[in-house]
Amino acid sequence: MAYDQNNIFAKILRGEAPCFKVFEDDMTLSFMDVMPQAEGHTLVIPKYPAENIFDLDPEYAAAMAKTVRRIAPAVRKAFDVPGILVAQLNGSAAGQTVFHIHTHIIPRTDGIDLKFHAREMADFKQLEKHAGMVKAALQ
Ligand code: AMP
């Protein structure tokens, strides 16, 4: 399948759709997931037109990993959780729903189940607040 330039994350990268941004550098962007599976669910995407791991430039794969390494501790600190799930889905058979590669960073706490994947839209005021919490933890 060819990369779809109109997928929602491509639009976010072009500034044509909004996001609750927490971090950006030359090669990556990080923002809050709008249908979080837990409070603080954050995404990292490369500024590179790849659907998934199979067509991602290795330099951008490395940049993504570096940004995930930076954001995950900030999310853990901001939401004061003992665990962080880092996940990346490749292909619809693996559950991928947005076809611009991204890594999920999801707070985990013992005894609290994850919410359903990409199901329920969060309150935007909350997402804005959560983005602020992650940004503060990055300082
Ligand atoms: P995946 O199923 O791994 O492709 O995950 C896509 C993720 O993107 C899901 O967790 C969705 O909740 C999330 N998502 C979809 N649209 C947006 C959006 N406009 N801004 C932020 N996150 C989004």
Side-chain angles (χ1 to χ4, degrees):
M1 195 161 81
Y3 179 81
D4 174 10
Q5 296 286 350
N6 285 320
N7 76 74
I8 186 64
F9 293 171
K11 288 182 179 176
I12 288 172
L13 282 175
R14 292 196 296 270
E16 294 167 9
C19 74
F20 297 95
K21 181 162 89 175
V22 300
F23 175 80
E24 179 171 19
D25 63 14
D26 287 350
M27 296 172 88
T28 65
L29 175 69
S30 179
F31 52 92
M32 304 314 292
D33 194 300
V34 290
M35 291 172 269
Q37 290 188 255
E39 276 200 348
H41 185 165
T42 307
L43 301 172
V44 173
I45 70 173
K47 295 179 177 179
Y48 183 92
E51 276 188 28
N52 52 43
I53 195 121
F54 308 116
D55 55 355
L56 182 61
D57 180 296
E59 296 279 326
Y60 279 86
M64 251 181 111
K66 199 170 161 193
T67 298
V68 169
R69 175 67 182 85
R70 189 167 186 164
I71 303 298
V75 171
R76 184 175 63 158
K77 181 176 170 197
F79 291 87
D80 192 23
V81 286
I84 291 286
L85 172 66
V86 172
Q88 196 267 302
L89 314 180
N90 298 284
S92 52
Q96 186 176 6
T97 58
V98 175
F99 293 92
H100 180 110
I101 187 168
H102 49 278
T103 302
H104 298 265
I105 296 170
I106 310 178
R108 296 304 321 265
T109 302
D110 297 305
I112 299 182
D113 289 337
L114 284 181
K115 291 190 196 159
F116 285 116
H117 180 62
R119 182 73 63 89
E120 193 186 335
M121 194 68 88
D123 178 74
F124 281 11
K125 280 264 172 279
Q126 279 289 103
L127 290 176
E128 193 176 4
K129 182 178 150 203
H130 291 165
M133 288 164 64
V134 179
K135 278 193 269 190
L138 278 167
Q139 300 308 311

